[in-house]
Every structure is written in structure tokens, then in C-alpha cells.
Amino acid sequence: MNRRIQIFKGILWFIVGMAAAITVVRFTRGLGTTTALSDTTPWGLWVGFDVMGGVALAAGGFVVAAIAHIFRREKYLPAARPAVLTAMLGYAAVAVGLLYDLGLPWNIWHPTIYWNPRSPLFEVAWCVMLYLAVLVLEFLPVGLERTRFRKLYRFLLRLQLPLIILGIMLSTLHQSSLGTLMLIMPFRLHPLWYTSMLPELFFVSAICLGLAVVIFESTITSWLYKREPETEMLSGLGRLAAFGLAFYMAFRLIDLGRLGKLGLIFEGTGASVLFLVEMGLCTLLPLILFAIPAARRSHNGVFVASSLCVIGFVLNRINTSGLAQVWATGTEYFPYWTEFVVSFGIVAGFALIFFFLQEHFPVDPEIQEDQEKLRRMQLFELPRFDRMSRIWLGDTNFAARRVNSVLFVVAFALGLALVPWNPLVEATPVQRARGKDVLRVGYPTGTVQFPHKEHVKRLGEDACGTCHHLNKAGDEGTPCSECHRDMYLPTKIFDHFFHVSAVEGATPCEACHAADVPKVEATAKVCSECHRKNMMAPRASVQEFKHTEAPGMRQAMHRVCIDCHRKEAENPEVNKPDLFRCANCHRTPIPHRQEIREAGEQESEVFVKNPEPTDRTDG
Amino acid sequence: MIATPSILNDVTKCIGCEECVAACKKINDLPEEDAPPRVGRSKDGLTADRWTSVVRLPEGASVRVQCRHCLEPACVSVCPVGALQKTSDGPVVYDKSLCMGCRYCMMACPFGIPRYEWSSVNPSVRKCILCFEQLASGKIDKPACVKACPKEATSFGSRDAMLAEARRRIDGEPDKYIGHVWGEHEVGGTSVLYVSGLDLSFLAWQEPTELGESPLPDLTWAALRKVPFEFVGMGVLMTGVWWVIDRRMRLQPKSSDEPGSNDE
């Protein structure tokens, strides 16, 4: 038995298992939990790789079909069937990837009846749907070849040529229209990528990538199934790819020159480096390798060249739909690991389907024969016995299935254990806030991560009192909403909304702001001008406090209490000489705790029940 | 409803009280508290539950942001299922029953306005709809945000009237204002206009000069227009090539080792 393919399949099953676990979370908890997408980066890896990359990767189907059936280069016929199969599975993978990425995947069929012909995505949707159907019809004869549906088989065979031409027509449209998608966002896409020629560039690159994918897939398959690589055919395809790549490179550079953007390439910015890496991977290096006859004829040469090309063009699609937009949006989107797992999981799943079809249908007749010979041999094999678990594993095939199932289940469990169950909110650095790194908030209590250090930095070192000891009723932990009216955008403690509705009249603004100056906090009346009775303490020291901020702990406690404590400490009648010492108050349990609380409650009740009419002195 | 209803925001008059935000949340039934922000949220403060917000500039000015209801909206043109529509009256509205959640509208908006309900399993695109339903049914005579503004920093009327008002203010106090009405020409014109004493080009992804004055949908349409010709052309080309090569191969004696070349 071929261990190589078995190990490879085991790895694929493991990835599929992980992805299955993420799938559960994706569809029960939403996109926010499983992706790092945000309002500034609404398209991420799933669009860049699964959809944009996926469609481009599946271009091999129409390219090889055109070469073999339209241009009648018959030596490439053996590559046509695997290419069509890859394309069919590739487009199916795109559809599956879309189901993950769409916010409302159950509406994926909507473009069929709700039309907007002005949308490039509408056109892409229709072409992809039709082309998937065409590919199924193109592949169906392979499935029917060894069955008894001869009539249907012959009918489909006769349809092949029109189908192939239709497939090329549809591919031309949607491969280029994926570039059209980006034409509407010159404000997002970096100038090195943005050009009115994007549709044409996408089409040409799809042809190059299509050739590279066929080479890549052929080398992988022959390595996995331990067969002789078809060097002659591959080097021919490599030669064609070299022409395509040279054309693509010239096209792209001339286009950049036309727009006067060549200087941007060597600007040294992140985008220019990205551009150089992309061009190096997708065109320059593979072009050099494919152009050298010796490299083209060696198995490793074509493998390296085609893999570089594949990676480079997928990077091109990812760049165009995302990375080359960071320049404008300034967001640091990096796919969350769950996004990678789903993307690879879809690829792995369809690779397994590919292997299954290849082993059971005459995609590559020789591989199928090999496999059938193996299956026949297995019938005479003795079942294997595992000494460790003391069970009969059955024949090799059955044993492999068992191993794969175990891998799947383990990966599924691992995925469920690791996956996050709540949306990814902005990471908040946690600093121990008075011995705790999370704060109890709300009633009934919830917890929230609280960046204490950030608050200290923002408010100033001695502003503890902005949050601590506001002398509110039951003042144990000041609720964040005291300052953050919406929790996330910091506003001052002063409630402007409440004041506008409370100060009724024709000119509510002028009640606090002078008429002809900017209406900002600095030019507003101080609170105590209106709130003489119910807000400001009679003590002069307390009135010095900033009117829009709550008094700090030190301010509040020291200024309110110290005078009296000092006086009473010297009073022989009270006889408490320690009353003025620091430790008299700075200790646990906090002294007067109950009284402070009750006083606060009373005060707030009075305030709520009898809001004092405001004294307006002017305006 | 009046023709092309528009909003004129006067940055010099805004005091940043956020009355508009509160009124918007109330009329659209949005929760008072926004959902926790996601990593990578935009800096303008708009969220799925906050369709208008006030950006505070370091210079001390406050700028209200909301959907601009472009005259030729990019979001409407890119929506593959027509879930976003520009009504005949002007507001750009959203129909969730059509949406499939591709988020192309969010990518295409030059002002980065549409927001998504990322933490929902049944998410919608959320943005200002210019109080469309209430305005159309006559329940209110101006959008809630305009009505709530205590300083007339934001006013409502037909687009022509608002442009005239903007010009009147700029001409009246040329020292106070920059002589530019933001939204008059950008991306073909928007229904939300700004006059200001400060440069407001930060409101879009790019400088207005780079954004251009031609409508964005024209950019994709220039390519899409060619699609039927490309489709038919490719079909004719492929059939022709096949026919020529097939004929040549049939006429050739069978001894040949290299079948026909690929010149057309």
C-alpha cells in the first residue's frame, strides 16, 4: 500500500475535522466570532483566497480545454480531464467558501431572480453558476464512461465541443469581471494595483495561473501515486506558461508606465515591497525557470516554478482584494486562525473528493487501473490485528478509513475546544486595577476587562478620584457609564443631553454658553452658577473642584474631612489624638463606610424627588 | 416628499452636543449603547447601532458624519441583488429580504459608511436611511437628526435650496468658511452637504481630488458595457479557430507528427 498517499489523506482529514468544528461556530455564532473582519475590512481571507483565488486557481479547466480541444494540441489531452475535474471541484469550493463568507448564506441563490446587471458581482455570480453547470456536464462523460448509460454518454460526448466553447466564453467574462469588482474603489486600492486594465490583467493572469495549476497538480499527483511524471507534456505547458508570463509582465509594466506609476515600485513603502514580492513570485522567478529548457524538463524545476506561480498569483488576488487596500484604510486586519482553518479545510475537503474521483473514475485511466488492481489485491489480504488496542483492523483500506475517522473526530474535538465562542472585540490590555484585573460592573453583576493603566495615562497620575469615591450611593465601584455614556467613546461626566431637555425654552444653548463664542466647555458657565444648592458643597474648598469632572478621591476626602479632623484631634473633650493621623482613614475596613453610603443614598433620593429649579442669572 | 431631500451640515455651528445621535437612535429604534467595538473599527464612531456620529477634531470643531445619499451611489450600483436602492425621492435604502450579505457595498462606499452586524447570525447592513419611511408617509417633515439639532447646524431641504443656502453662508461670512461645499461635486454629488471653516477631506477614504467628480459607478460600467461583445467575440473566435484547425487537420495527410499550428 502506498503510505505516501495515506499519510497525505490523513493530514487532509485532520484539517477537514478542524474546519468542521469551526463550521459549527461560524453558523451558530456569526462572522464576528470566526473572523477578524471589521467595518473597515469587510472582505478578508475568505474572499481573497477562497473566492478570488479559488476562481483563478480553477482557470486550468478552460485553458487546457482550449489548448487541447480548440487548438487541437493533442499531446495535452491527458491533462484535460484532470484539469476539468480540478476546475469543477474548484468552482464547487468557491461556492462552499461563499457560503461561509456571505452574511446571509441562505440567500446565495438570490442573484438568479433579483437582478442588478450594473453590478460586476452580479455578472460574476451568473457566470460562476453557469460555468459550474457547464463543468459538471463536461465531466459527466468521465463518470458515465464505464456505466451502462451509453446513450446519455454518447449524447454528452457530442455536446463536448459546444460546452468547451461556452466554458471559455463564460470564463473570459468572470475571470476578467473579478478585476472589474475592484474598479469602483480607486480610493481603496493602492495605485500600483489600481488600473482601468484590471479586468484584462485578471484575464491574462488567470490563463498563466491556469497553466501553472495544471503543472502543479500533475507533479503532485505523480509524486503521491509514485508514477512517472509526464515530463514531455509538462515542459510543453511550461513553455506556454513562459510566454504567458512574459506577456503578463510586459502588459503590467507597460500599463504602469502608461499611468506614470513606475516610480512607485521602488518607493520603499510597504505597498511597493508587497508589489515586488508579488511580481517576483508570480512572474519573474517562474518565468526564468520556465524559460530555461533544462529547468522545464526537470521534475523539480517545473514543480518549483509552478508552485511559485500559484503562490504568487493567489497572493495577487489576496493583495488586490485586501492587502493593497491597507494603504488607504489603515486597518491592521490579519486573518484569525479560524479563517485559515476554514480556507484550508475547504481545500482539503475538495482534495479528498478529487482523490476519490481519481481513484474510482477514469480521470487518469492509469491511476484508476493501479487503484483497482490494489483494491483487488486487498480482497486477499489478511485482516490486520493491532496488539495495543487488541482489535482487528480489517484490511488496509478499512484500517485507513478507521485512522482517518479517528483523525477527523480528534481534530473536530480539538477545534471545538480551541475555537472562540464570543465575537472578537477590541483587545483591551489588562492592568491590575486595585488588585483585580477585571471589574465587576452593572447589576446583576457582569465583568469587564478594564485597562487601568491606560486610564491613568489619559486622565493624569493624580486623577484617581475621577473614578474612585464619587460619593455616589453604594459607591463601591463607580460604573463606567458615569463617564462613558456609550461605554466606548469617552465623554465628560457632564450629561449634555439631560441638560438641554431640562433647560427648556427658546434658546437653551444660551442658558449656559455665551451667544457669540464657540460653544465649548471652556466658554460655558460653571455648574455652580445654577446648581447652588443641590450639587456644590457649601465649603469653599469643595467648590474649587472642576465642575465637569467628579472630585478625585484625594480632593474629596482630604478637603472635605481634614479640616474637621484636625480641629477635633486637638479637642481634649473628644480625646482622640490619632484622629488627624493618616492611618486613621487609610485603613481597612474603610471608616464611616455605612454613613457615607447612607448619606449618598439620601442625597440622590432628594435630588431625584425634588429637582431644584435652576437659578438663571443671565441669558 | 420634496425633490432630492438633502441635509446641509454647518461645521462652524455644530457644538457637538450629539442630540442628533440620540434622536437618530430613538427614531430608528437603535439601542442606546453601542455593541462592543470590533478590532479594526473605523475612527468615525459609526457602528451598526449608531447611524450618525460626531467626529471631534483636534482643532475643537465637531463634524457630524452619516450616509451621504450620493446622487449616483456606488453601493447601489455594486449590490448584485439590488438590496440597496436609491428611491425615486433620493434616500438610499436597504431591503434586507433581498440581501445575501456579500458586503460589496461596504467595500465600494467612498466614505466608508455602511456598517455590518458582525456578531449576529442573521446580520444586516446598517446605515442612515434619511428617515425615509417616516418622511415619505408624512409623519415627520424633516429627519430626526435635523429636528433635534438645537443650533441649526444641520438643516434640511431640497438639494438646490441647500446648495443655495450653503453659498449664501459662504458668501455672507467668507472669513469664517472655506469656499467649498463638500458634497456638491464629489463622486458626482451627494445629498449630504458640508460647509466648514476647516478642511473636511478626511471624510472620505482619499483626498477629494483623488476621489474625482465623476460618479464611481461609471468606472465599473465602462468595463461591464463591453461584456456582451467580449462574450460573443470570444465565442466566435473560438469557433473560428476550431473550424480552421479542424479543417486543416482533416485535409492533411495522416503521416504528420505535429498537428496544425495555432495561428488564426
Side-chain angles (χ1 to χ4, degrees):
Chain A
M1 188 65 185
N2 184 347
R3 279 191 70 79
R4 204 178 268 174
I5 183 91
Q6 248 185 28
I7 292 170
F8 195 71
K9 280 184 187 170
I11 295 170
L12 293 181
W13 274 109
F14 188 83
I15 301 172
V16 170
M18 286 282 268
I22 314 289
T23 307
V24 174
V25 185
R26 157 66 189 90
F27 290 105
T28 54
R29 312 290 291 194
L31 280 167
T33 311
T34 37
T35 69
L37 296 173
S38 67
D39 290 321
T40 45
T41 318
W43 283 0
L45 185 74
W46 289 350
V47 170
F49 177 75
D50 296 35
V51 179
M52 306 281 284
V55 169
L57 285 170
F62 91 93
V63 176
V64 174
I67 295 171
H69 293 284
I70 303 291
F71 292 97
R72 306 295 291 267
R73 297 306 195 87
E74 265 145 24
K75 73 169 169 179
Y76 299 118
L77 272 178
R81 275 186 171 184
V84 167
L85 177 60
T86 316
M88 183 180 84
L89 296 178
Y91 278 91
V94 168
V96 173
L98 264 178
L99 288 178
Y100 282 85
D101 186 68
L102 290 180
L104 307 166
W106 48 90
N107 288 347
I108 192 171
W109 53 276
H110 273 188
T112 52
I113 55 165
Y114 303 111
W115 285 26
N116 178 17
R118 288 186 78 97
S119 166
L121 196 58
F122 170 78
E123 196 222 303
V124 171
W126 263 97
C127 282
V128 168
M129 272 188 293
L130 291 177
Y131 187 44
L132 186 54
V134 166
L135 282 168
V136 171
L137 289 177
E138 270 186 58
F139 183 71
L140 215 49
V142 180
L144 293 173
E145 198 175 288
R146 308 224 170 137
T147 61
R148 50 197 178 77
F149 303 102
R150 301 309 295 173
K151 252 190 191 158
L152 184 61
Y153 172 70
R154 276 196 296 273
F155 172 71
L156 281 171
L157 268 195
R158 239 177 291 141
L159 268 185
Q160 284 305 291
L161 189 69
L163 280 177
I164 284 165
I165 293 179
L166 183 60
I168 297 170
M169 291 155 77
L170 289 168
S171 294
T172 314
L173 290 200
H174 69 257
Q175 291 290 358
S176 57
S177 288
L178 282 175
T180 315
L181 284 190
M182 303 295 159
L183 282 184
I184 202 154
M185 38 190 109
F187 44 86
R188 280 182 85 108
L189 197 55
H190 190 272
L192 277 173
W193 281 266
Y194 188 84
T195 153
S196 57
M197 288 286 163
L198 262 179
E200 288 80 0
L201 280 172
F202 262 54
F203 178 63
V204 176
S205 57
I207 293 177
C208 301
L209 181 56
L211 290 168
V213 167
V214 172
I215 298 171
F216 177 75
E217 176 220 291
S218 177
T219 46
I220 289 269
T221 312
S222 57
W223 178 75
L224 280 175
Y225 289 104
K226 295 184 176 163
R227 287 157 34 78
E228 272 299 300
E230 298 170 72
T231 318
E232 184 56 30
M233 189 185 83
L234 294 183
S235 78
L237 287 173
R239 199 168 139 265
L240 289 175
F243 284 118
L245 289 171
F247 180 75
Y248 175 75
M249 192 164 179
F251 186 8
R252 197 154 179 202
L253 292 179
I254 290 170
D255 184 54
L256 282 175
R258 175 182 71 100
L259 300 167
K261 290 175 182 168
L262 280 173
L264 291 177
I265 299 177
F266 301 103
E267 214 181 22
T269 56
S272 75
V273 173
L274 195 63
F275 179 84
L276 288 173
V277 170
E278 181 198 308
M279 283 303 271
L281 285 178
C282 76
T283 5
L284 197 62
L285 294 177
L287 174 59
I288 294 171
L289 282 173
F290 279 135
I292 302 169
R296 206 160 62 214
R297 290 216 177 76
S298 87
H299 184 257
N300 289 338
V302 283
F303 175 71
V304 170
S306 63
S307 358
L308 285 175
C309 200
V310 166
I311 293 168
F313 277 119
V314 169
L315 181 65
N316 167 259
R317 297 304 196 259
I318 291 176
N319 285 347
T320 318
S321 65
L323 284 180
Q325 300 178 1
V326 173
W327 156 81
T329 60
T331 44
E332 293 144 12
Y333 163 81
F334 190 80
Y336 201 53
W337 66 270
T338 46
E339 290 177 70
F340 285 109
V341 170
V342 167
S343 287
F344 294 146
I346 294 172
V347 175
F350 279 92
L352 285 170
I353 299 176
F354 180 84
F355 290 132
F356 175 82
L357 290 176
Q358 196 161 44
E359 285 164 16
H360 291 83
F361 294 95
V363 179
D364 182 335
E366 289 174 36
I367 289 185
Q368 196 211 2
E369 267 164 37
D370 282 359
Q371 291 296 319
E372 264 167 16
K373 223 178 282 169
L374 270 177
R375 277 196 286 276
R376 274 197 298 277
M377 271 161 61
Q378 275 162 16
L379 291 179
F380 305 103
E381 256 179 29
L382 284 174
R384 285 199 298 160
F385 181 74
D386 187 65
R387 280 160 206 272
M388 284 269 282
S389 53
R390 307 180 71 75
I391 38 178
W392 289 95
L393 285 174
D395 61 38
T396 342
N397 218 0
F398 192 69
R401 254 177 259 160
R402 277 200 166 165
V403 171
N404 290 342
S405 312
V406 168
L407 283 171
F408 178 89
V409 172
V410 167
F412 187 79
L414 193 66
L416 280 187
L418 294 176
V419 76
W421 286 87
N422 288 308
L424 302 162
V425 293
E426 199 151 83
T428 40
V430 178
Q431 178 72 23
R432 292 168 74 83
R434 305 186 74 199
K436 288 174 186 167
D437 49 7
V438 285
L439 292 183
R440 249 172 351 103
V441 289
Y443 183 85
T445 51
T447 53
V448 65
Q449 294 189 322
F450 174 76
H452 187 260
K453 208 176 186 177
E454 294 251 328
H455 278 72
V456 174
K457 209 158 74 187
R458 198 161 56 233
L459 300 171
E461 286 294 338
D462 56 355
C464 310
T466 312
C467 304
H468 299 289
H469 298 274
L470 291 175
N471 280 340
K472 292 270 171 180
D475 187 11
E476 289 187 1
T478 304
C480 307
S481 56
E482 257 336 290
C483 298
H484 299 273
R485 269 196 280 152
D486 67 0
M487 282 301 295
Y488 295 100
L489 297 173
T491 49
K492 294 278 179 157
I493 197 165
F494 175 74
D495 189 346
H496 193 271
F497 173 67
F498 169 76
H499 279 74
V500 176
S501 53
V503 184
E504 288 167 349
T507 54
C509 302
E510 264 78 62
C512 300
H513 301 276
D516 292 309
V517 291
K519 308 287 187 286
V520 289
E521 184 196 322
T523 61
K525 240 197 277 183
V526 290
C527 304
S528 56
E529 272 191 68
C530 300
H531 298 275
R532 289 234 167 84
K533 288 179 189 153
N534 57 11
M535 210 168 196
M536 303 301 281
R539 229 173 258 274
S541 57
V542 183
Q543 285 183 12
E544 289 167 23
F545 298 158
K546 275 200 174 162
H547 63 280
T548 51
E549 283 175 13
M553 176 193 181
R554 205 175 59 190
Q555 292 172 316
M557 290 299 158
H558 283 197
R559 292 189 189 169
V560 174
C561 314
I562 277 181
D563 285 0
C564 201
H565 272 234
R566 181 187 285 147
K567 207 159 69 189
E568 293 302 311
E570 289 162 6
N571 186 349
E573 272 181 44
V574 177
N575 195 20
K576 283 186 174 169
D578 286 341
L579 213 51
F580 184 52
R581 298 179 73 126
C582 303
N584 185 63
C585 299
H586 290 271
R587 65 186 162 93
T588 38
I590 300 163
H592 302 312
R593 186 175 176 151
Q594 198 55 35
E595 288 99 301
I596 292 172
R597 176 179 295 185
E598 277 163 14
E601 268 162 12
Q602 272 172 15
E603 200 173 90
S604 59
E605 262 169 39
V606 169
F607 184 68
V608 170
K609 276 177 192 157
N610 318 308
E612 290 275 339
T614 49
D615 308 339
R616 271 184 239 161
T617 45
D618 57 345
Chain B
M1 207 166 176
I2 51 170
T4 353
S6 294
I7 285 180
L8 174 65
N9 286 322
D10 190 333
V11 176
T12 63
K13 291 193 177 187
C14 180
I15 54 171
C17 65
E18 299 199 0
E19 286 302 298
C20 46
V21 180
C24 173
K25 281 184 175 257
K26 202 169 166 202
I27 197 165
N28 291 307
D29 237 345
L30 304 172
E32 267 179 44
E33 278 204 6
D34 293 1
R38 284 181 66 71
V39 180
R41 82 201 144 112
S42 64
K43 307 288 182 282
D44 61 12
L46 293 177
T47 68
D49 297 329
R50 182 182 279 253
W51 297 353
T52 180
S53 79
V54 177
V55 176
R56 286 161 210 279
L57 300 185
E59 293 90 339
S62 307
V63 185
R64 185 161 84 90
V65 290
Q66 63 179 109
C67 171
R68 307 291 198 283
H69 300 280
C70 305
L71 299 186
E72 293 199 41
C75 56
V76 170
S77 98
V78 298
C79 180
V81 290
L84 282 161
Q85 284 293 343
K86 187 162 177 74
T87 56
S88 54
D89 295 317
V92 175
V93 295
Y94 170 71
D95 182 353
K96 188 177 180 182
S97 64
L98 301 185
C99 181
M100 57 179 194
C102 68
R103 309 186 295 282
Y104 193 7
C105 48
M106 304 174 69
M107 294 289 285
C109 177
F111 304 102
I113 296 294
R115 293 289 178 273
Y116 211 59
E117 294 176 318
W118 294 106
S119 45
S120 166
V121 282
N122 185 14
S124 320
V125 173
R126 312 272 269 171
K127 68 168 199 66
C128 159
I129 50 169
L130 211 65
C131 298
F132 169 69
E133 274 172 32
Q134 288 95 330
L135 271 183
S137 66
K139 234 182 249 169
I140 51 174
D141 58 346
K142 42 175 121 169
C145 52
V146 176
K147 193 158 188 221
C149 184
K151 288 304 293 175
E152 289 175 354
T154 175
S155 29
F156 180 73
S158 77
R159 189 160 187 270
D160 294 336
M162 288 299 107
L163 277 174
E165 172 67 15
R167 287 275 158 231
R168 195 184 63 74
R169 287 189 198 175
I170 291 173
D171 295 342
E173 289 170 282
D175 302 342
K176 203 165 146 193
Y177 293 99
I178 293 177
H180 180 79
V181 184
W182 275 270
E184 188 177 8
H185 299 299
E186 279 88 356
V187 293
T190 64
S191 300
V192 173
L193 308 163
Y194 289 89
V195 286
S196 164
L198 292 160
D199 184 33
L200 294 185
S201 51
F202 70 91
L203 285 175
W205 285 119
Q206 294 300 318
E207 297 281 325
T209 47
E210 243 172 89
L211 216 51
E213 295 192 347
S214 61
L216 291 169
D218 291 356
L219 292 170
T220 44
W221 188 240
L224 280 179
R225 217 177 32 201
K226 298 181 227 153
V227 158
F229 307 104
E230 282 168 11
F231 187 67
V232 176
M234 191 47 99
V236 171
L237 178 71
M238 283 300 128
T239 318
V241 169
W242 175 82
W243 186 78
V244 169
I245 294 176
D246 185 61
R247 187 161 171 277
R248 194 180 295 172
M249 283 175 73
R250 262 186 286 143
L251 294 179
Q252 224 166 31
K254 283 206 167 162
S255 63
S256 72
D257 43 9
E258 179 72 18
S261 68
N262 59 352
D263 54 351
E264 296 122 47

